[in-house]
Amino acid sequence: MTRNRFTQACVAALLLIGSWSAVGTLPAAASDTADSATTAASAGSASPGLLQAMQRDFGLSRAEAEARLTAERRATELAPEARKTAGAAYGGAWFEAESGKLVVAVTSDADASTVRALRSSGAGVRVVEHSARLLDAVKSRIDRLKAPAGVSSWSVDPVANTVAVNVVRDQRSDSDVRRFVAEARKAGPVTVRTVRAAAQTFAAGTVGGDPYYTGNVRCSIGFSVHGGFVTAGHCGGTGAAVRGWDGSHIGTFQGSSFPENDYAWVNVGSGWWTVPVVLGWGTIPDRLVRGSAEAPIGASICRSGSTTHWHCGAVLAKNETVNYSQGAVRQMTKTSVCAEPGDSGGSFISGDQAQGVTSGGWGNCSGGGETWFQPINEILSRYGLTLHTA
């Protein structure tokens, strides 16, 4: 993204407030971007750039990408009602790309009328042994254990109907790892899987020309809220000053939590302002943010960050506990999207719905990897913030 892309004033806002939402009227140059995105949305079609990104990252044709986006939106809208319909028999839900449906797991306790209601709503139904309530309880018991460095993360896997514990491949024989796994198995149904590397956060040392900076750390902005923006907690503590790409003062961290959580919010002032946009970095047109409906497991999702810019993947797990070297962080969402140092705090978005802020992961955008984000709705609730939407 070049600085002459917008007027000088707009460059300051858009290169600083990396992925966010706005207060009041957009500046003229930003309005051009917003208007084009609004036109595309009102036409009921995704932008060509977004479709191209999905074709690249998922190996889809244009028609397949369009169909998947439509199906995912339908699944996202259906998920909350499907959970209510299933009641105590609910075993979890996920988007199944092959069928284009939301699949709802239910235990054998579900009566025939419940199954009929789910199917008539358009959902697929799978009968499983364990309820979501039981698996959540198992995961909560594991959360109380102290995890060694060789244990990367753990979460409920509704597709496998178990709690998945992810162990770093070359540390699976470590005595502390084996002891943790043995204790985890006592909690209930557990499946142990291996990953290539341990989780780490994606903050980076100062690099000129990218937003934003606190001390000698560069991170990325997540989403605008009324009065500021949200980002990752490991990027700065409460009271830390924040600078923009040009070194000028933006504001300070008004609240920050890490570890246990990985979220924060920064107030915006000193001539900076915010817009309801996630930067596409030239890969796709900048995206307007219209809400924060939570995408289901299996849905496509994209990330915008100041190092690797725009990349897409899929939601792999929710409510995962991630074991960083600084301590465990809970209630995270895992994705197959890559990231690198400096992308921390950046936006995860599904369609036009904000999902969360980048926390960490393993791997990179050359060889691939996985990332976690802190869900946006939890951050808004924690600090009493309101997401800016177009």
Side-chain angles (χ1 to χ4, degrees):
M1 178 176 176
T2 60
R3 291 189 183 176
N4 61 8
R5 179 179 170 189
F6 301 112
T7 62
Q8 184 175 2
C10 228
V11 170
L14 288 184
L15 281 182
L16 174 81
I17 312 299
S19 321
W20 7 262
S21 313
V23 183
T25 304
L26 296 176
S31 296
D32 294 339
T33 302
D35 288 344
S36 63
T38 302
T39 300
S42 63
S45 60
S47 72
L50 176 58
L51 295 172
Q52 289 166 11
M54 292 187 69
Q55 289 173 251
R56 177 196 68 201
D57 294 335
F58 287 98
L60 302 175
S61 68
R62 181 185 178 92
E64 288 170 338
E66 290 175 334
R68 176 158 179 164
L69 287 172
T70 299
E72 287 179 353
R73 182 179 293 276
R74 196 160 52 236
T76 298
E77 293 170 350
L78 176 60
E81 190 59 36
R83 180 167 193 151
K84 292 179 184 177
T85 300
Y90 181 72
W94 60 94
F95 175 75
E96 186 178 72
E98 294 78 7
S99 65
K101 289 185 175 183
L102 180 76
V103 178
V104 182
V106 296
T107 64
S108 57
D109 296 334
D111 56 38
S113 62
T114 296
V115 173
R116 282 196 301 271
L118 288 169
R119 285 179 173 153
S120 65
S121 71
V125 178
R126 181 180 297 178
V127 178
V128 295
E129 182 179 358
H130 308 297
S131 69
R133 182 178 301 174
L134 182 147
L135 294 176
D136 287 342
V138 172
K139 196 257 180 185
S140 294
R141 287 194 283 272
I142 298 174
D143 279 344
R144 293 193 284 270
L145 302 177
K146 181 173 177 56
V151 177
S152 176
S153 62
W154 55 95
S155 65
V156 172
D157 181 349
V159 181
N161 197 227
T162 186
V163 176
V165 175
N166 300 299
V167 174
V168 179
R169 185 178 301 159
D170 61 4
Q171 297 184 53
R172 57 189 173 185
S173 297
D174 178 85
S175 59
D176 289 338
V177 171
R178 295 176 67 178
R179 189 177 303 113
F180 179 90
V181 168
E183 288 298 313
R185 290 190 189 280
K186 293 178 183 178
V190 163
T191 299
V192 178
R193 298 169 181 166
T194 58
V195 295
R196 291 188 307 188
Q200 61 180 352
T201 57
F202 284 128
T206 299
V207 177
D210 286 311
Y212 65 89
Y213 303 93
T214 177
N216 67 343
V217 171
R218 170 171 60 84
C219 281
S220 301
I221 291 163
F223 295 93
S224 280
V225 296
H226 288 283
F229 64 82
V230 295
T231 186
H234 70 263
C235 292
T238 302
V242 174
R243 309 185 311 278
W245 63 268
D246 61 352
S248 67
H249 179 74
I250 305 167
T252 59
F253 280 81
Q254 300 298 298
S256 180
S257 179
F258 179 80
E260 187 66 27
N261 305 293
D262 194 6
Y263 49 58
W265 83 281
V266 176
N267 67 335
V268 171
S270 304
W272 294 96
W273 68 96
T274 59
V275 290
V277 167
V278 170
L279 288 178
W281 295 99
T283 302
I284 71 163
D286 297 342
R287 303 291 294 168
L288 288 178
V289 178
R290 299 187 183 278
S292 58
E294 185 179 328
I297 290 173
S300 63
I301 193 167
C302 298
R303 180 192 54 74
S304 181
S306 61
T307 298
T308 58
H309 299 171
W310 184 270
H311 287 272
C312 299
V315 178
L316 300 178
K318 295 186 179 185
N319 191 25
E320 183 147 304
T321 299
V322 183
N323 188 35
Y324 293 128
S325 60
Q326 301 95 326
V329 178
R330 311 186 194 284
Q331 297 180 319
M332 304 280 272
T333 298
K334 180 165 68 176
T335 81
S336 62
V337 187
C338 67
E340 294 180 10
D343 287 327
S344 279
S347 321
F348 269 93
I349 189 166
S350 182
D352 56 12
Q353 300 296 304
Q355 299 297 307
V357 300
T358 305
S359 173
W362 60 267
N364 55 49
C365 289
S366 297
E370 294 176 338
T371 49
W372 288 271
F373 67 79
Q374 186 88 62
I376 183 68
N377 290 328
E378 180 185 357
I379 307 172
L380 300 177
S381 175
R382 168 63 180 83
Y383 293 119
L385 301 170
T386 301
L387 182 69
H388 285 178
T389 56

